[in-house]
Amino acid sequence: MPPSTLSVALVGLGVALASMTLLWVVSLLREDTSIVDPFWGPGFAIVTVAYLFADGRFVDRGLLTLVLVTAWAGRLGYHLLKRNLQEGEDARYAKWRAEAGASWPLRSLFTVFWLQALLLWGVSMPLLGSVRSTDPLGPLDVLGTIVFLVGLTIESLADLHLARFKADPANKGQVFDSGLWRYSRHPNYFGEFVLWWGLYLVAAAGGAYWTIVGALLISFLLLRVSGVTLLERSLTETKPQYAEYVRRTSAFVLWPPKD
């Protein structure tokens, strides 16, 4: 008899917390809290593996989900790790570290690492739903996979375009408005939004409609918390020309720019 969905979910939560705690120890040794960012993608692959082994049945939908998530996690993790190694600790974390002083090591465990573990676990509900489903693969799985791949392509191209722009010293302090960034101020976040809804469609294909909570959570995070809203505030303050970019360019969805 297979374990309950709750017990499998709790295994995933335990793995997420344990992984983030270990990463926290590494962050103390490196004095770099922002190493948590490259782990965001790979963390989902790790939790999916935990779900698969806790469930023990290794169903087709769960294995398909693992392949999709691993492809996204590997690319995003590499991209963010490379940026972290080149640029050092992110300015946000450096500011929080300076403000907190000696209390930052312990505070970061709760406010950064364990918080992200909980968010990762909440967002991962579609992955859990797919792992638990024994229904055969069908047309909705195909649609979900296509939507996922579209999102992955958008996110990958957006990150590639921006990385090339930043690599040129002549562009320092300038606003990038070419490639996909001509059609959205945050095409990378839009791509991630799309791919997570693709993963939800795969879960829904197996009857796990309730896992929409994960897709809604990542949508909220991207649009209102750590994604668009936070970055927009920073860019508006540091780049005067950003206001004109805002006027003519869609905030999120890819859309033709205004004249």
Side-chain angles (χ1 to χ4, degrees):
M1 182 176 180
S4 68
T5 298
L6 177 59
S7 63
V8 175
L10 290 177
V11 169
L13 175 59
V15 168
L17 287 169
S19 299
M20 284 294 186
T21 302
L22 178 60
L23 193 65
W24 170 70
V25 173
V26 175
S27 78
L28 298 183
L29 297 174
R30 289 177 52 88
E31 296 186 351
D32 183 358
T33 305
S34 60
I35 64 170
V36 72
D37 292 339
F39 186 76
W40 177 250
F44 286 102
I46 292 171
V47 167
T48 304
V49 171
Y51 289 150
L52 283 166
F53 277 94
D55 179 82
R57 293 174 295 175
F58 300 94
V59 297
D60 290 344
R61 184 167 287 103
L63 295 174
L64 169 63
T65 298
L66 176 62
V67 170
L68 297 179
V69 168
T70 301
W72 165 70
R75 189 214 68 84
L76 182 63
Y78 172 76
H79 171 74
L80 294 178
L81 179 61
K82 182 179 178 181
R83 187 178 71 183
N84 176 257
L85 293 175
Q86 291 175 341
E87 301 178 5
E89 186 172 50
D90 186 277
R92 293 171 299 160
Y93 299 117
K95 179 182 177 183
W96 295 341
R97 178 190 298 278
E99 292 174 346
S103 68
W104 179 243
L106 185 58
R107 184 181 297 186
S108 67
L109 175 63
F110 293 95
T111 62
V112 177
F113 292 89
W114 281 0
L115 176 59
Q116 288 215 24
L118 292 174
L119 292 174
L120 188 155
W121 180 66
V123 172
S124 76
M125 290 300 103
L127 314 180
L128 172 63
S130 293
V131 166
R132 296 291 292 167
S133 172
T134 57
D135 292 351
L137 296 176
L140 192 54
D141 294 285
V142 175
L143 176 60
T145 300
I146 292 173
V147 171
F148 171 88
L149 293 174
V150 169
L152 178 61
T153 300
I154 292 172
E155 183 182 59
S156 302
L157 288 175
D159 283 340
L160 178 62
H161 293 164
L162 184 60
R164 288 178 175 174
F165 176 79
K166 287 185 173 181
D168 187 347
N171 295 325
K172 186 175 182 179
Q174 300 300 309
V175 173
F176 182 47
D177 60 356
S178 299
L180 292 178
W181 299 81
R182 171 177 167 79
Y183 304 98
S184 169
R185 303 201 298 273
H186 304 280
N188 50 345
Y189 292 144
F190 177 65
E192 186 159 338
F193 169 90
V194 170
L195 68 84
W196 272 106
W197 281 97
L199 289 169
Y200 169 68
L201 289 178
V202 174
Y209 302 106
W210 64 271
T211 65
I212 194 172
V213 297
L216 291 173
L217 177 57
I218 188 63
S219 299
F220 176 73
L221 292 174
L222 289 170
L223 287 166
R224 298 298 181 189
V225 183
S226 62
V228 172
T229 301
L230 183 63
L231 190 56
E232 288 274 286
R233 187 182 305 120
S234 172
L235 290 171
T236 301
E237 293 174 353
T238 58
K239 297 183 178 182
Q241 66 271 43
Y242 196 74
E244 172 60 21
Y245 180 54
V246 169
R247 184 196 66 78
R248 67 176 186 270
T249 310
S250 168
F252 192 63
V253 177
L254 294 175
W255 199 257
K258 298 177 183 178
D259 294 333

